[in-house]
Amino acid sequence: MEDVKNHITQLQQAFTQELAETHSLEALEGIRISYLGRQGKIAALMVQLKHATLEEKRILGPLLNTLKAACESALLTKKKQLEELMQSEATQQERYFDVTANIPANQQGSLHIYTHLIEQLENIFISMGFTIVDGPELETDYYNFEALNIPADHPARDLHDTFWLSNPGFLLRTHTSTVQIRSMQTIKPPLALFSTGRCYRNEATDATHEFMFMQGECLLVDTHVSIANVLATAQTFLQRFFEKEDLTIRVRPGYFPFVEPGFEIDASCPFCTQGCSVCKRTRWIELLGAGLVHPHVLQSCSIDPEKYRGFAFGFGLERLAMIKYNITDIRLFHSSKLSFLTQF
Ligand code: DAH
């Protein structure tokens, strides 16, 4: 019995000491559970008491009950003290605050580089009198190939690694030249149109190739259109885009079934005169596919090729941006890399 009495005294002392060292409500709750919980130290003593004699129970029972009540009331007092302390600390903190504290700036979103590019391009073409048009990304064989003078057996189809849909005749457009047909079917010439949009090609991805990319397409149809018009338009556009008034262009023959003649337009390197890493030391940068609209294309849109002529050119948005902003990997455009995205 003396053992149990000693145990009670020790328990009381340990409890008082632990309580004194407690400075938080969480720790206080820990003490409550460890002493007064159902599996706690006092409950364990109560269990032991079951095996004691009646005489022992008469002495130890009240002792244990007193211990339990003392612990409960001490816990309650301590809890009140801690709550008051916390309350006064909170008030203190509100009263004294550091006006010079460095608060991290709010994370602010920025427009995506594609949004910036489209805005720049559209502004340039609108300023030259062009109208902005749009077309669907999900297209048919007719708009992507057939009406653009690329019939089913045409070898040029092999150059477009097409994503065909399981629905026969449907595909994801491989270029924005589709918009030429859609627009000419609904808008009567004279017309001057510009369009940007996503295109898809089923090819392996690397630093300069993506299976999804953006193109820009320019089309003008009128009665007296010549190569001089396409060259002047292309040069003005590129000068404004690269913000370089003395940018010049050169023309090389190029084959695209929907134009005749067809050519490729290079711009003089906007960054050097002697050759640099951007132009691969050639001083020229290949940028646009262009030409005079093929009579077959005009005919497929019920426009008389004897009366009207047109010019068209197309380009990749990413390529333009990669040169202008020195971006080395096309995959960044669709990445979620904030260090890249927040620059624009
Ligand atoms: N659609 C062509 C391509 O994706 C680019 C192009 C070339 C567009 C010549 C044109 C053009 O309008 O006249 O490669």
Side-chain angles (χ1 to χ4, degrees):
M1 185 160 86
E2 279 313 303
D3 267 10
V4 183
K5 268 188 179 172
N6 281 342
H7 200 160
I8 291 174
T9 320
Q10 278 165 13
L11 214 64
Q12 173 97 51
Q13 282 167 355
F15 174 82
T16 313
Q17 190 175 346
E18 275 186 52
L19 206 63
E21 289 165 359
T22 304
H23 301 291
S24 76
L25 287 173
E26 290 80 42
L28 196 67
E29 178 62 6
I31 295 178
R32 191 192 66 75
I33 293 168
S34 117
Y35 284 87
L36 293 166
R38 251 188 291 157
Q39 318 272 343
K41 293 173 181 163
I42 295 177
L45 277 178
M46 296 279 194
V47 172
Q48 271 186 33
L49 204 64
K50 279 187 194 154
H51 309 294
T53 63
L54 209 63
E55 187 62 21
E56 286 170 341
K57 276 182 186 163
R58 206 171 284 147
I59 299 167
L60 293 176
L63 271 182
L64 267 178
N65 281 336
T66 317
L67 172 69
K68 198 175 166 199
C71 288
E72 277 169 351
S73 102
L75 271 169
L76 211 64
T77 315
K78 181 78 182 188
K79 193 174 173 208
K80 271 194 196 143
Q81 277 173 4
L82 281 177
E83 279 171 352
E84 275 167 21
L85 194 73
M86 279 166 58
Q87 181 73 34
S88 79
E89 272 175 4
T91 327
Q92 195 84 336
Q93 260 174 17
E94 271 171 33
R95 214 173 288 153
Y96 303 106
F97 58 90
D98 182 2
V99 287
T100 65
N102 181 21
I103 300 169
N106 278 349
Q107 284 271 343
Q108 222 178 14
S110 59
L111 290 181
H112 194 273
I113 179 165
Y114 276 134
T115 315
H116 275 297
L117 280 172
I118 294 168
E119 203 173 272
Q120 284 177 50
L121 295 168
E122 289 187 348
N123 281 342
I124 294 171
F125 281 94
I126 288 170
S127 76
M128 291 196 284
F130 286 78
T131 303
I132 308 300
V133 289
D134 205 1
E137 291 171 31
L138 196 159
E139 266 295 4
T140 62
D141 182 300
Y142 178 77
Y143 286 102
N144 201 82
F145 294 123
E146 198 78 32
L148 283 163
N149 200 29
I150 317 175
D153 55 354
H154 200 289
R157 285 203 180 203
D158 297 342
L159 298 174
H160 296 236
D161 302 293
T162 311
F163 280 112
W164 291 96
L165 301 188
S166 51
N167 208 340
F170 285 87
L171 50 86
L172 294 178
R173 69 174 172 193
T174 59
H175 53 174
T176 43
S177 300
T178 51
V179 182
Q180 291 188 24
I181 308 299
R182 290 201 168 265
S183 306
M184 284 192 283
Q185 280 182 345
T186 50
I187 307 169
K188 291 285 143 250
L191 52 85
L193 310 171
F194 177 68
S195 186
T196 57
R198 284 199 190 93
C199 303
Y200 303 82
R201 290 196 196 175
N202 191 356
E203 54 185 17
T205 300
D206 63 27
T208 52
H209 296 87
E210 260 287 25
F211 64 86
M212 177 172 78
F213 52 96
M214 286 201 96
Q215 279 194 345
E217 188 86 17
C218 175
L219 170 74
L220 183 139
V221 181
D222 206 339
T223 46
H224 298 87
V225 176
S226 73
I227 291 179
N229 298 123
V230 63
L231 298 187
T233 311
Q235 183 164 1
T236 308
F237 150 53
L238 293 172
Q239 284 174 343
R240 298 212 185 141
F241 180 76
F242 287 107
E243 296 167 44
K244 208 157 187 303
E245 271 173 38
D246 57 353
L247 181 144
T248 54
I249 55 169
R250 75 173 184 185
V251 172
R252 289 175 293 111
Y255 176 69
F256 306 98
F258 34 93
V259 281
E260 180 58 40
F263 37 88
E264 303 205 22
I265 298 179
D266 301 343
S268 58
C269 180
F271 303 107
C272 73
T273 49
Q274 303 297 321
C276 66
S277 60
V278 178
C279 59
K280 303 207 177 74
R281 271 161 261 292
T282 63
R283 291 195 295 117
W284 294 99
I285 298 176
E286 194 180 313
L287 288 177
L288 315 175
L292 295 186
V293 181
H294 197 290
H296 288 175
V297 176
L298 293 173
Q299 270 162 349
S300 64
C301 301
S302 310
I303 294 174
D304 182 2
E306 297 292 327
K307 190 173 167 201
Y308 289 104
R309 286 200 210 161
F311 76 68
F313 61 82
F315 55 87
L317 259 65
E318 292 87 352
R319 182 160 166 75
L320 282 185
M322 286 170 83
I323 290 164
K324 182 167 176 174
Y325 301 116
N326 191 22
I327 301 165
T328 50
D329 195 326
I330 193 172
R331 290 166 291 198
L332 285 168
F333 285 80
H334 291 118
S335 78
S336 49
K337 242 191 183 169
L338 282 180
S339 56
F340 170 73
L341 295 171
T342 51
Q343 290 176 47
F344 303 96

